[in-house]
Amino acid sequence: MRRPLDFMRRLRPAEHCGLPPQKKPRYGILRGAFLAVVATLTASALAGAPQPAGLATSRTDLTPKDLARVIAITRPTSDFSKPEQFELMQGGAGTSKKDVNKDAFSQSSANISFEEEGTFKLGNAIFRKNWVSSPSSTQASDGLGPLFNERACQNCHLKDGRGHPPEGDSGTTSMFLRLAREASTEEEKAALADHKVLNFPDPVYGTQLQELAVPGLQGEGRMHVDYQDEKVKLADGSTVSLRKPSYSVDGLAYGALDPHTTLSPRMTPPMIGLGLVEQIAPADILTRADAADRDGDGISGRPNIIRDASSGELTLGRFGWKAQAASIRQQSADAFTGDIGISTPEVPKHWGDCSAAEKTCLAQPNGVQERLGPVEAPPPVMDLVTFYSQNLAVPARRDLDRPDVLAGKKLFYDMGCISCHTPKFVTRRGTPNKAQAFQLIWPYSDFLLHDMGPGLADGQAVGEATGSEWRTPPLWGIGLTQTVSGNTFFLHDGRARSLAEAILWHGGEGQKARDRFAAADAADRAALIKFLESL
């Protein structure tokens, strides 16, 4: 895994938790190496084309002085005797320092204006509102479905936090099955190669299984999960029980699935810090990619190059479990359509994910109101939901100066976890909202795809992501999962019931780090977990 260039001299102390001012830089810049063109961008993505802005391999927003400061301050630490400067404020100046409780993920960025706080609250109201089926007297809220997974964004993103797999009678509110198949014709293969599509839907059930329907229709079926226990013996003789899931669908209402359709469970991730992730410079992500593993460390990391739906340009995917969305707005539009069945300007499908084979679904009325525009969620709705999603604050760190937390941090580094879970970035200057501009942030993710081995593979390709690759999820806020969500389910399908289980599921590129954790003594494992719980 390639890492930012190291400097011999330390950055001088700073005054605030965005990137600090520095009037007198004390070091030079080995700029050429840092700005090298990333060799891992796929030839199919860039052959014969000018470099798109979304795939820029240099930071044109920074002066040489600023670039030197960014490189120096994001360099991984080697001093674990005390917390790093600004480490408390892991979301930059927008970090929330509110009391830790079940609303810890629902606070607005601390550095937005009073006026923007009003916009945030309006967005929150739309995020929470239940949509209804058409026709309805509440004309600004109808258009639900006809097939859907939930009636409101908040019903899946519970308390703006992590979802959970179906447990007992809890249902599948915050986890669903993504449906897809690979290309089967030359035309489909050409569309994939040109990044016109990410994959292909099931011919009957579309891109995801929708368990609910408006009155008069049947839901498509119900996810069924079976677990098989697998015992893992650690080096100190202790045993951890992992649960290996298998997925199927009960009660398919519209015929059989295509035999080539794969089922991929997707649990809703936390919403915090998304606006900051959106403003990480593409170059800072791409420079960490090493698809050919040229440095021989066993960590490759690849970007998911996708086509931006609005501009048509190739760009960097950075949201979703397989980095399949480039922007929060597009991710929100996809969720409106796929999860709730609401059309937007970005995805103007008034019948949601209904396929051509589901004729009774397509015969239902939609919620388009002529006075409000040609879609069910017009631009003002998308503006508000996007702003809300961009400005959910990252909570401040806790207990970061405790000796066991500092020891756990050192172990996290020494075991190689930061090869994928990159600690720090500095966001771009000149962002659409100044609250996200030039902020030192600590997401602990490289936002690249990594092969996590057969144990975590879902067999479903998404764009350039293979069936065994996943985007590195950010770790900030992970220690508050129990507080916010009332559970400790981790990974893309919630199979892990603890942080230790999540680590032990790592395979592929994460195998070495996983094995070091398994080989550690109980005290070291506990310290590493304490560090994660402080995030």
Side-chain angles (χ1 to χ4, degrees):
M1 171 61 67
R2 295 182 179 274
R3 295 182 176 85
L5 193 63
D6 282 344
F7 280 79
M8 296 300 294
R9 308 179 73 171
R10 293 179 60 84
L11 188 67
R12 63 191 296 179
E15 287 86 11
H16 59 77
C17 56
L19 191 70
Q22 176 149 334
K23 297 179 181 178
K24 297 178 181 178
R26 298 184 294 171
Y27 40 76
I29 306 171
L30 302 180
R31 193 179 185 192
F34 178 72
L35 300 183
V37 175
V38 180
T40 54
L41 295 181
T42 58
S44 62
L46 298 180
Q51 184 184 81
L55 296 175
T57 54
S58 61
R59 287 201 63 167
T60 58
D61 63 312
L62 300 179
T63 65
K65 289 182 179 180
D66 280 346
L67 181 62
R69 292 162 56 201
V70 167
I71 293 171
I73 205 167
T74 57
R75 181 179 64 241
T77 187
S78 58
D79 180 4
F80 301 97
S81 65
K82 61 184 182 298
E84 295 177 68
Q85 196 171 24
F86 312 119
E87 192 173 1
L88 173 71
M89 305 291 280
Q90 59 182 338
T95 300
S96 171
K97 299 181 76 174
K98 299 280 183 70
D99 291 343
V100 172
N101 55 39
K102 63 182 180 181
D103 294 319
F105 288 176
S106 299
Q107 306 301 323
S108 60
S109 298
N111 59 343
I112 61 175
S113 69
F114 178 80
E115 186 175 278
E116 288 172 328
E117 182 69 29
T119 304
F120 177 87
K121 289 177 178 176
L122 288 172
N124 184 24
I126 294 175
F127 199 79
R128 291 172 177 270
K129 89 165 180 173
N130 285 316
W131 295 80
V132 298
S133 57
S134 302
S136 169
S137 59
T138 57
Q139 294 185 351
S141 297
D142 66 351
L144 177 69
L147 296 167
F148 58 98
N149 291 104
E150 257 303 339
R151 297 176 58 198
C153 306
Q154 182 71 208
N155 294 352
C156 292
H157 296 277
L158 308 169
K159 305 297 290 184
D160 302 297
R162 196 178 305 270
H164 59 79
E167 294 282 324
D169 297 328
S170 66
T172 57
T173 293
S174 54
M175 192 170 95
F176 63 84
L177 288 176
R178 186 76 75 186
L179 311 176
R181 59 177 179 82
E182 295 184 355
S184 60
T185 67
E186 291 304 315
E187 183 180 7
E188 288 180 345
K189 291 175 183 178
L192 276 176
D194 196 31
H195 298 82
K196 292 180 178 178
V197 295
L198 295 172
N199 50 31
F200 297 93
D202 182 84
V204 174
Y205 293 96
T207 61
Q208 68 189 60
L209 184 75
Q210 281 133 349
E211 299 194 358
L212 304 177
V214 300
L217 280 184
Q218 283 184 280
E220 293 179 321
R222 288 192 67 81
M223 179 196 308
H224 182 82
V225 191
D226 286 314
Y227 291 105
Q228 177 182 347
D229 281 345
E230 293 188 352
K231 303 295 184 182
V232 176
K233 192 170 184 179
L234 306 182
D236 63 2
S238 59
T239 301
V240 177
S241 178
L242 303 182
R243 56 178 194 171
K244 180 180 180 180
S246 60
Y247 296 90
S248 59
V249 182
D250 291 338
L252 285 166
Y254 302 98
L257 288 163
D258 186 281
H260 301 292
T261 294
T262 55
L263 309 179
S264 179
R266 306 288 176 87
M267 193 171 74
T268 51
M271 298 282 293
I272 56 172
L274 297 182
L276 294 166
V277 173
E278 193 168 38
Q279 297 308 323
I280 296 172
D284 287 351
I285 296 174
L286 295 172
T287 197
R288 290 168 167 80
D290 185 17
D293 191 21
R294 287 178 292 165
D295 58 7
D297 67 351
I299 308 294
S300 57
R302 301 192 309 124
N304 198 356
I305 307 302
I306 63 174
R307 193 169 294 281
D308 184 271
S310 58
S311 69
E313 287 192 345
L314 295 176
T315 191
L316 175 66
R318 59 180 80 197
F319 298 106
W321 284 105
K322 298 220 174 191
Q324 71 271 16
S327 69
I328 296 169
R329 193 180 188 96
Q330 187 62 50
Q331 180 84 342
S332 299
D334 292 341
F336 261 122
T337 299
D339 301 344
I340 310 177
I342 297 295
S343 60
T344 64
E346 291 74 20
V347 188
K349 296 181 179 179
H350 310 318
W351 291 272
D353 195 38
C354 294
S355 71
E358 294 172 315
K359 299 185 185 303
T360 53
C361 179
L362 296 175
Q364 300 297 309
N366 62 58
V368 174
Q369 306 294 327
E370 186 175 342
R371 63 186 178 83
L372 298 176
V375 293
E376 293 160 326
V381 170
M382 288 301 298
D383 292 343
L384 291 169
V385 170
T386 301
F387 186 86
Y388 174 75
S389 302
Q390 288 170 333
N391 287 282
L392 282 160
V394 179
R397 288 279 303 279
R398 301 153 311 286
D399 301 325
L400 71 168
D401 57 350
R402 281 178 41 163
D404 55 348
V405 170
L406 289 168
K409 179 181 176 182
K410 184 177 189 301
L411 288 163
F412 188 83
Y413 279 55
D414 289 348
M415 289 182 184
C417 303
I418 66 167
S419 294
C420 301
H421 290 283
T422 302
K424 296 173 279 186
F425 289 90
V426 173
T427 59
R428 292 181 281 199
R429 288 195 182 277
T431 57
N433 187 331
K434 65 181 181 180
Q436 281 100 39
F438 211 47
Q439 296 295 310
L440 173 63
I441 62 173
W442 307 67
Y444 283 93
S445 172
D446 60 6
F447 304 99
L448 294 171
L449 300 170
H450 294 275
D451 188 328
M452 297 303 294
L456 289 177
D458 65 349
Q460 190 170 109
V462 182
E464 296 198 359
T466 69
S468 58
E469 287 182 316
W470 301 94
R471 183 201 69 157
T472 307
L475 297 181
W476 51 16
I478 199 167
L480 294 176
T481 302
Q482 177 68 53
T483 301
V484 172
S485 302
N487 64 64
T488 53
F489 296 117
F490 301 108
L491 303 177
H492 67 280
D493 56 2
R495 69 177 69 188
R497 295 159 294 186
S498 68
L499 291 169
E501 286 187 31
I503 295 169
L504 292 171
W505 269 110
H506 282 50
E509 295 175 45
Q511 186 73 43
K512 290 181 180 178
R514 176 257 180 224
D515 290 348
R516 292 178 187 122
F517 177 80
D521 61 33
D524 282 351
R525 295 198 308 272
L528 189 145
I529 297 299
K530 282 293 185 185
F531 165 68
L532 293 175
E533 289 174 344
S534 77
L535 297 177

